[in-house]
Amino acid sequence: MAAAAGGDRRAFERVYRAHADRVYSLCLRMLGDRVLAEEVTQDVFVRVWEKLPGFRGDAAFSTWLHRVAVNVVLTRRKSAGIHDDRTANDDALDSAPSRHESVGDRLDLEGAIAGLPRGARTVFVLHDVQGFTHEEIGEQLGISPGGSKAQLHRARMLLRAALTR
């Protein structure tokens, strides 16, 4: 890590290879679009390259990296004019995502997560997949911890409904 922070491109390439899949997975879950997730993953590592010399090691590198990734995703959404409602649209949350399937097809978890309303999906991924606390999520998204808990509950209910169909 120290070599990468010092500008060693080969060391940074090793960091990239070790963490790119997890960052891409996080971006994909938060954005629900493969092409955009690939693009944002690259943006994350550009940002990491720029900020790595300032990484103090107060937290684990993977924790810091995931925070950078979440921030890049949220910034991308904001710059693209994609906004999360702090109290997501109740109509969208009350209806489970629909998807045409032929008999025998199964709705998988990734598809169900991608079909969640953006706010619920974001909180679900940050809490249940990445392990952030409701306080951390609230801080990152500008919502209260209670709002994060409500979004998580809604996400879980929608996922349950989608997966039991």
Side-chain angles (χ1 to χ4, degrees), residues 16-60:
Y16 174 82
R17 289 177 192 260
H19 297 280
D21 289 343
R22 285 191 70 197
V23 170
Y24 170 75
S25 179
L26 170 66
C27 293
L28 178 60
R29 286 187 177 115
M30 289 184 71
L31 296 166
D33 179 300
R34 290 183 187 281
V35 173
L36 185 57
E38 289 173 4
E39 189 176 309
V40 172
T41 298
Q42 295 305 312
D43 292 347
V44 167
F45 281 99
V46 168
R47 185 84 167 154
V48 168
W49 175 257
E50 294 169 350
K51 297 292 183 183
L52 193 55
F55 174 63
R56 296 185 313 259
D58 295 340

Side-chain angles (χ1 to χ4, degrees), residues 139-158:
E139 185 180 304
Q140 290 178 31
L141 301 179
I143 61 175
S144 69
S148 174
K149 290 176 185 177
Q151 289 281 15
L152 180 61
H153 176 74
R154 290 180 182 128
R156 288 176 176 167
M157 294 295 104
L158 290 170

